[in-house]
Amino acid sequence: MTQSITTTLGPVRLTGDNPTRIWGMSNAERCRRMAESSAKNGSTLADGHELLFNLSYVFDPLLLREVLANPGTVFVWGATPIVGQIPAGSDPLTAAHVIDLSDGRKLYNRQLRKLEQPFVRELTPATRRGIERQSYFGAYKGVTDLLTKYLWPELALWLTRLAASIGMTPNMVTAIGAALCVVATWFFAQGLYWTGMLAGFIFMVLDTVDGKLARCTITSSKWGNVADHGVDLIHPPFWWYFWGVGLSAWGLALSTQTFALVMAVVIAGYVLQRLIEGLFIKDFGMDIHVWGRFDSWFRLITARRNPNMVILFVALLAGRPDIGLIALAWWTGISLLVHAVRLMQAYGAKRAGRPIVSWMEAGA
């Protein structure tokens, strides 16, 4: 069975028929959303070309980005076309570039900073749940912090499925998370660290859920992206500041001079690290944490919110939240130094004429 639909991206040919739903929608709807999302992000079809989707299969959205960037490309599994951009009405197997993914090849996903084999699976009632799990983990960034990567993926998967099943949008999840972020800040200011930790923990998990829900259900929006990243960018210094304020409730308040020094290191270190990351993207076209293997490893523990919360959590277990804040300042300073050195090394490599390429892209 073949049908054609028109999207803002252009003509789309859907082959096959599939009543099995995934993430609360039909596979035809999923494909339509991917095409519409690509159009919103500025992708276009080459003149006289159409998109091809095989509704019997679910595939990694990376494959759609690849075919849109390379007209005449078709990804197949064995001899079965999965997705491609081909001349309208043509046989997909006669396309200029037919790429068989069943050979286990890996592709570099620049958007999610990882090198892996894109998933392609036949969608049936028996495989649906496994495909949802695979597409969820496929939406995970390959380079991120240790908590996001190792501690709560299963919990976030359960919450993502729940949100999709009851029709919650990513923006709703972001709003709930933002409210909990503010609540955690207030608890820290009162010295109610364990309660603040609980609110902060739920917020951090939801900070994973909203992005995964958007990617899995193809419902991302510019406002949602701005809101999510805006909250992520702004709140950490407030958490550390009000953690310091709350120390007085424990009788562990830092001296005025020590508190000022700690906050100067924490806030300046956080801001400068963000600036370094921005400079690296501007000058080298990629995130600093995907340049070398060391950079990807260091991203697991660098002084961002989640690793810093581990430091504070361990200190709180020991009954010394004051030492935790001081340790956080030291780690921020060390992380800033590492990032500054790596930025200077990149500029040095560029002046020497050596290409700055991600280790994952080089190995793709």
Side-chain angles (χ1 to χ4, degrees):
M1 177 180 176
T2 301
Q3 58 177 310
S4 296
I5 61 174
T6 300
T7 67
T8 54
L9 183 64
V12 174
R13 188 200 310 180
L14 304 175
T15 65
D17 189 20
N18 200 331
T20 305
R21 300 177 71 80
I22 178 171
W23 293 114
M25 58 186 157
S26 67
N27 200 19
E29 174 61 16
R30 181 176 186 269
C31 291
R32 187 196 67 79
R33 289 185 187 183
M34 285 195 290
E36 296 288 356
S37 176
S38 298
K40 289 180 181 177
N41 290 327
S43 295
T44 59
L45 291 179
D47 290 342
H49 283 60
E50 65 180 358
L51 276 182
L52 170 76
F53 291 116
N54 188 334
L55 297 183
S56 297
Y57 289 80
V58 173
F59 59 86
D60 193 316
L62 169 64
L63 300 182
L64 176 58
R65 293 198 294 273
E66 289 293 318
V67 300
L68 287 173
N70 301 283
T73 297
V74 175
F75 286 103
V76 302
W77 191 267
T80 304
I82 305 300
V83 58
Q85 181 183 178
I86 57 177
S90 66
D91 181 349
L93 294 179
T94 63
H97 306 287
V98 178
I99 302 173
D100 186 1
L101 293 170
S102 64
D103 62 5
R105 73 180 63 201
K106 295 181 178 181
L107 299 178
Y108 176 50
N109 189 328
R110 181 180 293 272
Q111 187 180 72
L112 294 180
R113 306 197 296 260
K114 59 184 176 181
L115 175 65
E116 66 178 10
Q117 182 183 13
F119 75 87
V120 174
R121 291 189 65 184
E122 188 173 4
L123 177 61
T124 67
T127 63
R128 177 191 63 82
R129 197 163 180 84
I131 290 174
E132 287 184 346
R133 180 181 181 85
Q134 195 167 4
S135 67
Y136 165 82
F137 281 101
Y140 246 84
K141 288 181 179 178
V143 178
T144 186
D145 66 86
L146 76 173
L147 295 185
T148 303
K149 189 161 186 160
Y150 299 116
L151 182 60
W152 52 62
E154 294 296 336
L155 174 58
L157 169 58
W158 182 84
L159 290 172
T160 302
R161 276 186 168 139
L162 175 63
S165 68
I166 62 178
M168 287 188 69
T169 67
N171 290 348
M172 293 177 186
V173 178
T174 299
I176 294 171
L180 286 169
C181 177
V182 173
V183 169
T185 306
W186 185 85
F187 281 131
F188 291 153
Q190 307 307 310
L192 301 172
Y193 293 131
W194 287 115
T195 311
M197 279 276 185
L198 178 59
F201 171 80
I202 298 172
F203 159 63
M204 290 188 294
V205 174
L206 293 181
D207 189 37
T208 293
V209 171
D210 57 6
K212 303 305 171 291
L213 182 64
R215 292 191 183 105
C216 290
T217 60
I218 327 294
T219 51
S220 60
S221 66
K222 288 185 178 180
W223 183 91
N225 189 53
V226 169
D228 182 32
H229 287 85
V231 172
D232 287 349
L233 184 66
I234 293 171
H235 82 272
F238 288 94
W239 275 16
W240 317 143
Y241 176 82
F242 284 106
W243 183 282
V245 170
L247 290 173
S248 59
W250 285 57
L252 296 171
L254 301 178
S255 68
T256 301
Q257 184 178 4
T258 301
F259 183 68
L261 178 60
V262 166
M263 284 300 105
V265 172
V266 168
I267 296 174
Y270 176 78
V271 172
L272 289 173
Q273 283 185 93
R274 288 291 193 171
L275 288 174
I276 288 172
E277 292 173 23
L279 279 173
F280 204 95
I281 292 173
K282 180 180 74 71
D283 292 338
F284 303 107
M286 64 181 179
D287 191 287
I288 192 172
H289 300 113
V290 302
W291 180 23
R293 287 180 181 270
F294 167 80
D295 304 298
S296 297
W297 172 83
F298 193 69
R299 178 64 180 87
L300 290 169
I301 58 174
T302 194
R304 288 279 193 92
R305 179 197 64 204
N306 291 1
N308 284 349
M309 287 294 279
V310 173
I311 294 173
L312 295 179
F313 178 75
V314 172
L316 197 55
L317 284 176
R320 293 302 302 269
D322 55 331
I323 293 179
L325 187 60
I326 293 172
L328 188 156
W330 273 102
W331 184 235
T332 298
I334 293 170
S335 295
L336 173 61
L337 178 62
V338 169
H339 284 102
V341 168
R342 291 299 284 162
L343 180 64
M344 292 301 103
Q345 289 176 330
Y347 284 135
K350 184 178 181 180
R351 285 194 298 270
R354 298 194 298 272
I356 305 298
V357 181
S358 168
W359 67 272
M360 290 181 282
E361 190 167 7

